Amino acid sequence: MPDRAWTSWLLTRGPVRAVDMRRADPGSVVVALRGPVGEKDGQRVARALAHVLATGPREAHIDLAHARSMPPSSVAALFLPLTVMARAHGVALTVHRADPGTRAALRGLGLDRALDYSDEAP
């Protein structure tokens, strides 16, 4: 993954350090979030993911199984810029194992058309 040191640095600064980002295969990236995700954390993760999406994967999987319930401000900070970047680069986004509150926030932001959902592990 190009510029991995920069991405690692960005993700490890701040309260949320439990982010696992890996390439599942050359055309797919999987990101798992764990623990609480505040608004600033969502912005930080969105910036790092935007950088990764620019490297050319066809699809990105966001696993929220171990993330605590995200407030709407965190959902917006993470997913609004992420969906814009994904659309610009032709990347399909799938949200895995999101809790009902996070799904409601995504629906409230009008992102249901831009995202796929799965209750399965990526």
Side-chain angles (χ1 to χ4, degrees), residues 29-114:
V29 64
V30 176
V31 178
L33 302 176
R34 291 182 298 281
V37 180
E39 185 175 343
K40 287 185 179 184
D41 304 320
Q43 292 169 351
R44 182 177 293 116
V45 172
R47 283 192 308 269
L49 286 175
H51 180 73
V52 171
L53 294 183
T55 66
R58 292 182 315 275
E59 54 190 48
H61 301 272
I62 314 299
D63 188 6
L64 300 177
H66 301 291
R68 293 190 187 149
S69 185
M70 295 171 61
S73 62
S74 297
V75 172
L78 174 59
F79 286 99
L80 287 175
L82 188 59
T83 55
V84 169
M85 184 60 115
R87 182 174 292 161
H89 290 283
V91 178
L93 289 176
T94 303
V95 178
H96 293 266
R97 304 186 292 181
D99 66 33
T102 301
R103 279 198 183 190
L106 289 166
R107 189 176 318 108
L109 291 168
L111 296 179
D112 279 350
R113 292 183 186 177

